[in-house]
Amino acid sequence: MAFSRGDKVEVCSKQEGFVGSYYAATVIKNYGNKYAVQYKNLVAEDDQSRPLIETVGANELRPRPPKVLATGFHALDVVDAFDNDGWWVGKISGRKGSDSYYVFFDAYGVEISYPTSCLRPHLEWVNGKWVSSK
């Protein structure tokens, strides 16, 4: 899929320690198989008042997923948890109170509690379509 200037996307991080995380960005230039993107929540290291801009490969981009209303989750549901300015893929491992869940992150072997407002059902972008992980 080709993206154009102004398209809202998510960048899948391939950096060690960030694998399995997605960050909201906007395409600012299309170079063919690479794109310049400006991140929504990440800032430049040398000037933290400026949004981070970087060039990423086409295989690291996907459109932003549609908003899916989730009224609750079940054990082992695959979810994205918003943390450290990005969305991280994990699995529901339990419930905490009436509006929080424990999420286990296989890649890092940790379990963290999140309010429902910081969770979304995980969707994969496959052959130009959004597919549920269930």
Side-chain angles (χ1 to χ4, degrees):
M1 171 177 198
F3 295 100
S4 302
R5 179 182 172 86
D7 284 350
K8 305 292 185 197
V9 295
E10 286 189 343
V11 180
C12 178
S13 181
K14 309 271 186 195
Q15 292 181 336
E16 188 175 330
F18 296 92
V19 173
S21 61
Y22 295 84
Y23 296 87
T26 302
V27 172
I28 56 176
K29 187 148 175 91
N30 177 339
Y31 295 110
N33 64 346
K34 291 189 179 249
Y35 293 87
V37 297
Q38 178 176 308
Y39 288 94
K40 178 180 177 183
N41 298 315
L42 301 180
V43 295
E45 259 185 56
D46 60 338
D47 180 357
Q48 296 194 353
S49 67
R50 288 186 309 113
L52 176 62
I53 295 173
E54 72 176 356
T55 302
V56 297
N59 64 340
E60 296 175 73
L61 291 184
R62 68 183 196 175
R64 286 201 195 152
K67 291 193 187 295
V68 176
L69 179 62
T71 56
F73 299 99
H74 302 285
L76 302 180
D77 281 355
V78 181
V79 296
D80 297 332
F82 192 78
D83 201 344
N84 291 324
D85 298 319
W87 292 98
W88 298 74
V89 180
K91 289 182 184 164
I92 297 293
S93 55
R95 188 169 189 136
K96 179 182 178 186
S98 62
D99 67 345
S100 292
Y101 292 88
Y102 289 103
V103 178
F104 184 78
F105 300 94
D106 289 329
Y108 303 100
V110 297
E111 181 182 62
I112 301 173
S113 172
Y114 293 95
T116 306
S117 62
C118 292
L119 300 174
R120 67 183 187 190
H122 180 71
L123 299 173
E124 289 289 337
W125 182 246
V126 179
N127 298 324
K129 295 181 188 169
W130 287 107
V131 178
S132 175
S133 297
K134 290 187 177 185

